[in-house]
Amino acid sequence: MALATVMMAAVACGPKQEIPKEEPQKEKTPKTLVIYYSQTSNTQAVAQEMATKLGADLEEIVPVELYDGDFEATIARGKKELDEGNYPEIQTLKANVADYDVVFIGYPIWFGTYAPPIFTFLEQVDLSGKKVVPFCTFGSGGLESSVKDLAKAEPKAEILPGYGVRAARLEAMAKEVDQFLKANGYIKGEYTQLEAFSEHHPVSEEEAAIFDAAVGDYPMIHAKATTVASRNLPDGKEYEFVAADMSRGDNPNMPPAGELKVYVSVIGDEAPVFTKVIR
Ligand SMILES: Cc1cc2nc3c(=O)[nH]c(=O)nc-3n(C[C@H](O)[C@H](O)[C@H](O)COP(=O)(O)O)c2cc1C
């Protein structure tokens, strides 16, 4: 008892112990992977731009049996794979996707969704708990529909806003990617916060002419604008048209008829261009 009392006194009277100061919590930089499939290099260009700006690792998904360059053959093979749910084998990935916190997934839109090698990739990896940022290139659109499929395939991933660009507007991509990455907080820097669209109203003759000029004779859009909303851009104006699909005969390659949204930009005194279609 006496010994215990002495020891306690010794502890109490001993030199003051330095209490280590709590280290300020350093923000952990998320580990980011940009992974993509690209047949004709449009999506590759976006992936490279994203990875460079992010300073992220970059990996290409490569099918074991490449789709050959012929468009008709690719359509036939891709359609068969999608219809049968029989997706192509892909080469072993170099990256261990499990090691990453944020995964940017890039793809071309095929038949309104991501191309078949992405189905294979999603079957092979578990993105649960990860932040997933989709991006794509397309002829007319498909980001929104492909993201729905992505959310179904990876229900436990956090699917974040994505970026999509028409193949025909690839020259606008670098600037848009920069704005996209800044607006969503992946990189630092100033960006332009776009205003909301106005209310929709029936199209005027002038607005109908803008729609027709933007859509031109693009084969996949055969529609008549009914209502429109608009907003100012820093260097022009953007329109959100609602259009009704018009009869297109019995061409089996045409998407189903219905209502569509067509986004059109008019920059400076340039001709109107459509930026995407949502079906
Ligand atoms: C088999 C096939 C199906 C396609 N389907 C669509 C489609 O449904 N909607 C669309 O807007 N573009 C479609 N496209 C166009 C591609 O999405 C577009 O050319 C894309 O930029 C190609 O990307 P890549 O160069 O990375 O392969 C399709 C192209 C192919 C080859």
Side-chain angles (χ1 to χ4, degrees), residues 9 53 90 127 158-159 209 259 267 274:
K53 290 228 161 84
I90 57 173
L127 300 174
E158 188 186 347
I159 314 278
E259 200 175 75
I267 306 297
F274 82 89

Short mmCIF file of all heavy atoms in Angstrom, two decimals, residues 9 53 90 127 158-159 209 259 267 274:
data_model
loop_
_atom_site.label_atom_id
_atom_site.label_comp_id
_atom_site.label_asym_id
_atom_site.label_seq_id
_atom_site.Cartn_x
_atom_site.Cartn_y
_atom_site.Cartn_z
N ALA A 9 2.56 9.02 -6.21
CA ALA A 9 3.09 10.37 -6.00
C ALA A 9 4.17 10.66 -7.03
O ALA A 9 4.24 11.76 -7.59
CB ALA A 9 3.66 10.47 -4.59
N LYS A 53 -5.74 16.74 -67.25
CA LYS A 53 -6.19 17.83 -66.37
C LYS A 53 -6.27 17.38 -64.92
O LYS A 53 -6.00 18.14 -64.00
CB LYS A 53 -7.55 18.35 -66.84
CG LYS A 53 -7.47 19.09 -68.17
CD LYS A 53 -8.21 20.42 -68.09
CE LYS A 53 -7.80 21.38 -69.18
NZ LYS A 53 -8.52 21.16 -70.45
N ILE A 90 -12.47 -8.85 -72.77
CA ILE A 90 -11.53 -7.73 -72.83
C ILE A 90 -10.18 -8.15 -72.26
O ILE A 90 -10.10 -9.08 -71.46
CB ILE A 90 -12.06 -6.47 -72.09
CG1 ILE A 90 -12.37 -6.77 -70.61
CG2 ILE A 90 -13.27 -5.89 -72.80
CD1 ILE A 90 -12.73 -5.52 -69.81
N LEU A 127 -17.81 -1.55 -58.27
CA LEU A 127 -17.63 -0.11 -58.04
C LEU A 127 -18.39 0.37 -56.80
O LEU A 127 -18.52 1.58 -56.58
CB LEU A 127 -18.05 0.68 -59.28
CG LEU A 127 -17.26 0.34 -60.56
CD1 LEU A 127 -17.84 1.06 -61.76
CD2 LEU A 127 -15.78 0.72 -60.39
N GLU A 158 -21.62 5.62 -56.33
CA GLU A 158 -22.19 6.97 -56.33
C GLU A 158 -21.97 7.55 -57.72
O GLU A 158 -20.84 7.95 -58.05
CB GLU A 158 -21.49 7.81 -55.26
CG GLU A 158 -22.12 9.16 -55.06
CD GLU A 158 -21.32 10.06 -54.10
OE1 GLU A 158 -20.42 9.54 -53.41
OE2 GLU A 158 -21.59 11.27 -54.08
N ILE A 159 -23.00 7.53 -58.54
CA ILE A 159 -22.84 7.99 -59.92
C ILE A 159 -23.01 9.52 -59.93
O ILE A 159 -24.07 10.03 -59.59
CB ILE A 159 -23.89 7.36 -60.87
CG1 ILE A 159 -24.01 5.84 -60.64
CG2 ILE A 159 -23.59 7.71 -62.33
CD1 ILE A 159 -23.02 4.98 -61.29
N ALA A 209 -36.81 28.24 -87.06
CA ALA A 209 -35.75 28.31 -88.09
C ALA A 209 -34.39 27.96 -87.46
O ALA A 209 -33.56 27.29 -88.11
CB ALA A 209 -35.72 29.70 -88.71
N GLU A 259 -41.28 11.89 -78.34
CA GLU A 259 -40.90 13.28 -78.08
C GLU A 259 -39.41 13.31 -77.76
O GLU A 259 -38.89 12.38 -77.14
CB GLU A 259 -41.69 13.78 -76.88
CG GLU A 259 -41.77 15.27 -76.83
CD GLU A 259 -42.66 15.71 -75.69
OE1 GLU A 259 -42.20 15.63 -74.54
OE2 GLU A 259 -43.79 16.14 -75.96
N ILE A 267 -23.46 30.47 -81.02
CA ILE A 267 -22.32 31.19 -80.47
C ILE A 267 -21.95 32.33 -81.42
O ILE A 267 -21.68 32.09 -82.60
CB ILE A 267 -21.10 30.24 -80.29
CG1 ILE A 267 -21.49 29.01 -79.45
CG2 ILE A 267 -19.90 30.97 -79.70
CD1 ILE A 267 -21.93 29.28 -78.03
N PHE A 274 -26.57 21.76 -82.97
CA PHE A 274 -27.18 21.05 -81.84
C PHE A 274 -26.07 20.36 -81.06
O PHE A 274 -25.08 19.89 -81.63
CB PHE A 274 -28.31 20.13 -82.29
CG PHE A 274 -27.92 18.79 -82.83
CD1 PHE A 274 -27.78 17.69 -81.98
CD2 PHE A 274 -27.72 18.58 -84.19
CE1 PHE A 274 -27.44 16.45 -82.46
CE2 PHE A 274 -27.38 17.34 -84.68
CZ PHE A 274 -27.24 16.27 -83.82
#
